[in-house]
Amino acid sequence: MGKLQYCEILRTRINVTNMQETLDYIHSHREALRGKYICVSNVHTTVMAYENKKYRAIQNGAAMALPDGAPLSIYSKRKGFAQAQRVTGPDLMLELFRVSPQYGYRHYFYGATQETLADMRTAIERDYPTLTIAGMYAPPFRPLTDEEEQQAVCQINKAQPDFIWVGLGAPKQEEWMAAHKDKVSGVMFGVGAGFDYLAGHIKRAPKWMQRLSLEWLYRLLQDPKRLWNRYITTNIKFFRYIFREHRRSLRKRRERGIERNER
């Protein structure tokens, strides 16, 4: 994989890539990526970034912003990037697990609860018995004190991980990664619900639903009370904002055309 390509979606730079190209880039740039972070972006995070300049700067400050949400890769295709594909956080995690013994990769898990981490460890040891778990930490559900923060960073760096999986949910996980850029020894990935998938607390949608871009519906049906507002309201906002940006772009092109004609 050569120079990274991206498509700007609602002012956020989303990478144009696929799973194999992403893996190749991570393998070949592993040392350069240490201390940096990779966002796993979807409609929800893209809408939040559009509405919040600070969060947008965090997304755009990532080493990569992967198109986890199908609408992002579909939009990229329609903007001329025919090769754009979806790269989900849970799938990327499992792909890196699969090849880790070959490369000697070490993994650290930061986030979720002790129960979730324990179930994750059980699943990893069952399905990936040769994977090296460098450490796990479930932070308290409150802001850490400066001393706790320093201890957490020291604990991570002492474990010498290659990859630090951060499962705090958006936007908290991206804010945490940005705040710890160049302070930790591995490359950080914000994987949201990836911990719950791995632990078996949430089920992945069937492959046919994933292919039809209906994974969001499958999740919504599992937890409608919590996810209704996020999926329905945010999806409506996404398409409304896309239409707004499209109109703004057309208006600017017309204005530039008028200026050229006047010259």
Side-chain angles (χ1 to χ4, degrees), residues 34 106-108 134 156-157 159-164 185-187:
R34 287 189 180 277
R106 298 167 59 82
H107 299 261
Y108 195 98
I156 291 170
N157 290 335
Q160 298 182 318
D162 294 289
F163 303 126
I164 303 162
S185 58
V187 56

Side-chain angles (χ1 to χ4, degrees), residues 91-116:
D91 288 338
L92 178 61
M93 194 186 320
L94 296 185
E95 286 295 325
L96 283 171
F97 286 178
R98 184 176 59 81
V99 300
S100 283
Q102 173 186 345
Y103 291 94
Y105 291 152
R106 298 167 59 82
H107 299 261
Y108 195 98
F109 301 88
Y110 183 97
T113 63
Q114 291 290 356
E115 178 187 5
T116 299

Side-chain angles (χ1 to χ4, degrees), residues 49-217:
Y50 185 73
E51 296 176 337
N52 186 312
K53 289 183 179 180
K54 184 176 179 181
Y55 185 63
R56 189 191 317 155
I58 290 174
Q59 286 277 334
N60 287 334
M64 299 182 80
L66 300 174
D68 178 277
L72 303 186
S73 56
I74 292 170
Y75 180 89
S76 295
K77 284 178 182 289
R78 291 181 176 176
K79 295 297 285 187
F81 297 97
Q83 73 277 29
Q85 293 183 21
R86 187 182 181 203
V87 181
T88 75
D91 288 338
L92 178 61
M93 194 186 320
L94 296 185
E95 286 295 325
L96 283 171
F97 286 178
R98 184 176 59 81
V99 300
S100 283
Q102 173 186 345
Y103 291 94
Y105 291 152
R106 298 167 59 82
H107 299 261
Y108 195 98
F109 301 88
Y110 183 97
T113 63
Q114 291 290 356
E115 178 187 5
T116 299
L117 293 182
D119 290 342
M120 282 175 55
R121 182 182 288 275
T122 298
I124 291 170
E125 291 175 348
R126 179 191 67 227
D127 299 333
Y128 304 92
T130 57
L131 187 82
T132 301
I133 298 176
M136 291 180 158
Y137 178 62
F141 287 90
R142 58 166 174 77
L144 272 62
T145 66
D146 290 343
E147 183 179 355
E148 288 172 330
E149 193 69 50
Q150 187 176 1
Q151 288 176 349
V153 171
C154 288
Q155 182 176 312
I156 291 170
N157 290 335
K158 187 176 180 180
Q160 298 182 318
D162 294 289
F163 303 126
I164 303 162
W165 302 98
V166 185
L168 298 173
K172 188 176 179 181
Q173 65 194 14
E174 289 80 25
E175 292 169 347
W176 187 91
M177 293 191 299
H180 292 82
K181 184 179 179 181
D182 296 326
K183 294 181 181 179
V184 294
S185 58
V187 56
M188 297 170 277
F189 297 82
V191 290
F195 285 18
D196 287 309
Y197 284 127
L198 188 57
H201 297 176
I202 300 176
K203 292 182 179 180
R204 288 294 301 274
K207 291 294 183 182
W208 69 267
M209 291 191 78
Q210 294 183 40
R211 286 193 296 270
L212 293 174
S213 304
L214 292 174
E215 190 164 12
W216 67 271
L217 178 60

Side-chain angles (χ1 to χ4, degrees), residues 228-245:
W228 173 264
N229 183 66
R230 169 176 167 178
Y231 283 129
I232 303 302
T233 304
T234 305
N235 284 354
I236 291 172
K237 280 185 174 183
F238 178 76
F239 291 110
R240 188 171 76 239
Y241 291 156
I242 288 290
F243 181 64
R244 175 194 294 177
E245 288 297 304

